[in-house]
Each structure stands twice: as C-alpha cells, then as structure tokens.
Amino acid sequence: MLVLTRKQNESIVIGKDIEVKILAIEDGKVKLGIEAPRDIEIYRKEIYVEIEKENVSAINQSINMDALKKMLIKK
C-alpha cells in the first residue's frame, strides 16, 4: 500500500485521468473530491463489498424455471 500525506487543497493523480483532491479535513473526517471519467465506477468501500456479496449470492442461486415461466407469462 502506498501511503501519502496530503494537506487540504492538495491532490494525487491516479493514471492519466483520475485526480483525488483533499477538499476539507474537519472533525476527524476527510472530504475528498474525485475527478474521473464517467465510465470509471467509484464506490465507498462498504458499498463495493455489499455489491460483491450480492453478485456472489446471485451467481450461487438456483433458478426455478417453472416459477420464472409463471412470472413471465403473467406479464
């Protein structure tokens, strides 16, 4: 892990087109501004972990084809 020290209004650059700027530091919290291309997905870590869990759960679910057919026919 790369560890950097930055002050307010300083930033780091990741690759050619992602910039992370320290906007504010107050009450033990750091406020970040991120400039990145729209196709780059940016998540808070806890949200990213939840998405991964849901994806793994979806992959491991078995599909009840009869129930699926009934759902599709109703519409």
Side-chain angles (χ1 to χ4, degrees):
M1 174 185 291
L2 172 66
V3 179
L4 300 170
T5 301
R6 300 276 66 199
K7 296 177 183 173
Q8 187 170 342
N9 295 320
E10 292 182 337
S11 61
I12 64 169
V13 175
I14 302 170
K16 293 180 180 176
D17 50 10
I18 300 172
E19 181 177 2
V20 181
K21 186 173 185 177
I22 307 301
L23 299 178
I25 305 168
E26 46 190 55
D27 299 328
K29 295 180 180 177
V30 177
K31 190 173 189 177
L32 302 173
I34 302 169
E35 289 187 10
R38 289 192 174 272
D39 62 324
I40 300 292
E41 296 177 344
I42 301 170
Y43 300 101
R44 287 178 284 154
K45 175 74 178 243
E46 61 272 20
I47 300 298
Y48 183 80
V49 169
E50 284 300 315
I51 291 170
E52 279 191 328
K53 284 181 186 176
E54 289 295 322
N55 287 342
V56 169
S57 175
I59 290 171
N60 292 327
Q61 285 185 345
S62 62
I63 298 174
N64 181 334
M65 293 305 288
D66 290 332
L68 181 60
K69 285 180 186 175
K70 287 179 183 175
M71 288 174 54
L72 294 174
I73 290 172
K74 286 183 180 179
K75 294 184 178 184

